Amino acid sequence: MTGSGAGNETRAGGRASVLAALLALGLVLGGCASTVADLPVVGAPSNLPARSAQPGEYLPVHDIPTARSKDSTLAPADQAKLEADLIKARDRQAVAAPADAAAKTSAR
């Protein structure tokens, strides 16, 4: 009885090493995926668009926007216009919202 426990541990260790080897093989082959896709044997779908000659450029993530001026407040006329636009949008939404709420409650 005590000998069978050691055999189970060996099998579990063997399974774990096989799974680790398969995972490593998958990672190694996954690195070659871009070159395998270009092989003529594998081929690409007929409706695949042609690749551009120039590879895409990276986005300018490190570009810093220009500094704002010290006085970045709105002029009183511009602020009044924006407030009026917001009030109009709120009123339009208030008219549309009761219809949406009634439709939701009747669907329950």
Side-chain angles (χ1 to χ4, degrees), residues 16-107:
S17 62
V18 168
L19 288 175
L22 287 174
L23 178 65
L25 180 65
L27 290 173
V28 168
L29 290 177
C32 300
S34 62
T35 57
V36 171
D38 293 334
L39 291 176
V41 175
V42 176
S46 61
N47 59 354
L48 185 68
R51 287 189 181 174
S52 64
Q54 289 290 87
E57 294 186 20
Y58 291 106
L59 296 175
V61 294
H62 295 293
D63 287 354
I64 299 173
T66 58
R68 292 184 180 181
S69 65
K70 295 284 184 191
D71 185 25
S72 62
T73 58
L74 291 175
D78 292 337
Q79 185 173 358
K81 182 181 180 297
L82 285 175
E83 287 177 2
D85 289 344
L86 286 172
I87 291 170
K88 287 178 190 176
R90 182 187 62 196
D91 293 343
R92 282 192 309 265
Q93 199 65 20
V95 171
D100 291 342
K104 287 180 183 177
T105 56
S106 64

